[in-house]
Amino acid sequence: MSDLTKGELIEMCDARYVRRAECGEQMNDIRGKLHNDDKRLAVIELQVKINNWLSLAIAGGVIALVIKIFLGA
């Protein structure tokens, strides 16, 4: 490998590895996509929380109605 010139060695490394600037751009793109996913997950989490509270309220009403029916009107 000692017979390679400095230019040939740099070309070989450029073909194999990613430069820091390119890596930074790729990481920024990935961070942007993940940031959008975080927003979506926050919205979904809020909707699930509201759905759970509504389900709990409905279930509580049904249980109260069943107890009232069995104990008498």
Side-chain angles (χ1 to χ4, degrees), residues 50-63:
I50 292 170
N51 192 8
N52 286 344
W53 277 105
L54 288 173
S55 297
L56 183 64
I58 292 170
V62 169
I63 290 171

Side-chain angles (χ1 to χ4, degrees), residues 20-39:
R20 287 183 190 174
E22 294 172 10
C23 180
E25 291 172 3
Q26 290 175 357
M27 291 304 296
N28 287 337
D29 290 342
I30 291 172
R31 283 190 188 113
K33 291 177 184 175
L34 291 177
H35 185 66
N36 289 337
D37 288 346
D38 287 344
K39 290 178 187 176

Side-chain angles (χ1 to χ4, degrees), residues 1 8-24 26:
M1 201 173 210
E8 291 173 337
L9 185 61
I10 289 174
E11 286 180 25
M12 186 174 74
C13 288
D14 283 345
R16 181 173 291 185
Y17 301 108
V18 177
R19 291 190 178 266
R20 287 183 190 174
E22 294 172 10
C23 180
Q26 290 175 357

